[in-house]
Amino acid sequence: MNGDAGGTTRRRGRPPGTESGDTRDRILTTAREEFSERGYEKTSVRGIAKAAGVDPALVHHYFGTKEQVFEAAIEVAFAPALRAPDAIGDAPLDEVGERLTRFILGLWENPASRTPLLAIVRSAVNNETAATVFRRLIATQVLRRVAAQLHLPDAELRVELAAAQLVGCAMLRYVIKVEPLASADPEQIVARLAPVVQGHLTGP
Amino acid sequence: MNGDAGGTTRRRGRPPGTESGDTRDRILTTAREEFSERGYEKTSVRGIAKAAGVDPALVHHYFGTKEQVFEAAIEVAFAPALRAPDAIGDAPLDEVGERLTRFILGLWENPASRTPLLAIVRSAVNNETAATVFRRLIATQVLRRVAAQLHLPDAELRVELAAAQLVGCAMLRYVIKVEPLASADPEQIVARLAPVVQGHLTGP
């Protein structure tokens, strides 16, 4: 902390009371943009602070280490994906495959959710710390919650093999863009993948 | 070219006749190491030349552009994976799922082939040019050759959806390392994935 919390220097140090939420949000938005554009490795707390117009100490104050800023940032970027358990929450057990397939494919089809997902995947593939944060997030917030809804032995492995089918499809269709998969009709992909995802989740 | 091909300056310029194969190999090995360590974006023809102890013009002479050096380098690194079509070549049609699953999982289980595969995936995920080179390579040398062996309509899409299951499993098991998938017994994974891969390839 630089101690200049008097309110006259709005762009540095801790802002006065009621603005703290706004400042935290601004830092988080900026962090998300920085991580998306540069990836985990090239982004620094100093750079985020500079882009957000605050003191680096304030970033640490709200979020902690760079790893923790990243976790908060991808939690926002990843928010749509974190709703996957809700998307299948009320489905009959024999429909969860199609629900989950449509939900994940929908996230990737929509450029607004695809762009942050791509940024997260890029960071996680390139940096061990980013991979750890990503792993913790999908394990606790998606995989385990979906698994808990299945009430089956080895449910976590089942969910991960189902996720593997969907993640791999996203990689080949949206990242590597292999044809004919990249241009295939989404309904055709759902028709092919939903039974596989269902089989992983609830099959023998 | 610097024109100093007389043989006295062995570490620069085009080497004399019989050594050209060795030099080409040395450049290729160096290129593979540079791309593996730094990724596509941070690697330059100048850097490869320096590390191999040759003139940059010689790298261009043998391989062309940076994109073409990358293609030659990943073709070497990717060589084991390029044998996938042979691995299933003589299998009965109802066994290709298990053959392909065992073959791809085997590549990732072996650290010697996993390391270059990881480097390729990292470059392809992060750089559009690297993704294009990777896409061309797997499309022409793996997917289409496997598809040709199936003699089925929409064989290419089938092969890609099967590949998606295996690529996604590799991502979650070896790159992101989600548990329990990361520590699961390979035989358990084969038992779960082979029928799915078979279904994509030859199912209804």
Side-chain angles (χ1 to χ4, degrees):
Chain A
M1 283 295 131
N2 281 353
D4 54 354
T8 50
T9 53
R10 295 249 338 248
R11 315 252 317 153
R12 290 185 66 84
R14 193 200 300 227
T18 56
E19 286 186 17
S20 66
D22 292 347
T23 306
R24 190 185 179 284
D25 286 350
R26 189 171 78 237
I27 294 171
L28 197 55
T29 303
T30 310
R32 193 153 62 97
E33 290 166 359
E34 292 283 308
F35 284 122
S36 291
E37 278 170 30
R38 297 166 200 276
Y40 182 82
E41 288 192 29
K42 289 185 208 158
T43 299
S44 66
V45 167
R46 184 165 293 274
I48 292 167
K50 192 178 175 192
V54 300
D55 193 276
L58 199 62
V59 179
H60 288 302
H61 167 75
Y62 282 124
F63 300 101
T65 63
K66 171 176 159 182
E67 187 178 331
Q68 291 168 312
V69 186
F70 180 72
E71 182 149 14
I74 73 166
E75 202 156 341
V76 173
F78 206 57
L82 298 179
R83 287 198 295 271
D86 307 319
I88 65 162
D90 60 343
L93 208 57
D94 63 350
E95 287 177 19
V96 293
E98 184 171 337
R99 285 270 192 117
L100 193 61
T101 303
R102 282 192 188 283
F103 179 78
I104 300 295
L105 212 63
L107 290 181
W108 282 97
E109 283 292 305
N110 180 352
S113 40
R114 180 170 65 235
T115 305
L117 279 177
L118 267 175
I120 294 169
V121 169
R122 292 201 166 109
S123 287
V125 165
N126 276 275
N127 182 280
E128 194 57 44
T129 308
T132 302
V133 172
F134 181 60
R135 176 169 60 236
R136 195 162 53 216
L137 195 67
I138 56 168
T140 58
Q141 304 227 27
V142 181
L143 301 175
R144 275 176 215 159
R145 284 181 58 206
V146 173
Q149 289 170 274
L150 296 180
H151 309 292
L152 282 172
D154 63 6
E156 291 190 4
L157 184 63
R158 287 170 172 275
V159 173
E160 287 168 15
L161 292 170
Q165 174 70 79
L166 297 170
V167 165
C169 177
M171 282 286 291
L172 294 182
R173 179 171 163 94
Y174 305 100
V175 183
I176 309 293
K177 299 182 190 129
V178 177
E179 294 294 354
L181 182 58
S183 307
D185 182 67
E187 283 302 318
Q188 190 184 8
I189 297 177
V190 170
R192 291 277 186 185
L193 294 192
V196 168
V197 171
Q198 182 74 41
H200 280 312
L201 294 177
T202 64
Chain B
M1 284 296 127
N2 283 352
D4 54 353
T8 51
T9 54
R10 294 244 344 243
R11 314 259 309 161
R12 290 184 66 84
R14 192 201 300 227
T18 56
E19 286 185 16
S20 64
D22 293 346
T23 305
R24 190 184 181 284
D25 286 349
R26 190 171 76 238
I27 294 170
L28 198 54
T29 304
T30 308
R32 192 152 62 98
E33 290 165 359
E34 293 281 309
F35 284 122
S36 291
E37 280 169 28
R38 297 165 201 275
Y40 182 82
E41 288 192 28
K42 290 185 207 158
T43 299
S44 66
V45 167
R46 183 165 294 274
I48 292 167
K50 193 178 174 192
V54 300
D55 194 278
L58 200 61
V59 179
H60 288 302
H61 167 74
Y62 281 124
F63 300 101
T65 63
K66 171 177 161 182
E67 186 178 331
Q68 290 168 311
V69 186
F70 180 72
E71 181 149 14
I74 73 165
E75 202 156 342
V76 174
F78 206 58
L82 298 179
R83 288 198 295 272
D86 307 319
I88 65 162
D90 60 343
L93 208 57
D94 62 351
E95 288 177 17
V96 294
E98 185 172 336
R99 286 269 193 117
L100 193 60
T101 303
R102 282 192 188 282
F103 179 78
I104 299 296
L105 212 63
L107 290 180
W108 282 97
E109 282 292 304
N110 180 351
S113 40
R114 180 169 65 234
T115 305
L117 279 178
L118 267 175
I120 294 169
V121 169
R122 292 200 166 107
S123 287
V125 165
N126 276 276
N127 182 280
E128 195 58 43
T129 308
T132 303
V133 172
F134 181 60
R135 174 167 63 236
R136 194 162 55 213
L137 195 67
I138 57 168
T140 58
Q141 305 227 26
V142 181
L143 302 175
R144 274 176 215 160
R145 285 181 56 207
V146 173
Q149 289 170 271
L150 296 180
H151 309 291
L152 282 171
D154 63 7
E156 290 190 5
L157 184 63
R158 287 169 172 273
V159 173
E160 286 168 16
L161 292 170
Q165 174 70 79
L166 297 170
V167 164
C169 177
M171 282 286 291
L172 293 182
R173 179 174 165 93
Y174 305 100
V175 183
I176 309 293
K177 299 183 189 127
V178 178
E179 295 294 354
L181 182 58
S183 306
D185 182 69
E187 282 303 316
Q188 190 183 7
I189 297 177
V190 170
R192 291 276 187 188
L193 295 191
V196 169
V197 171
Q198 181 74 40
H200 280 311
L201 295 177
T202 64

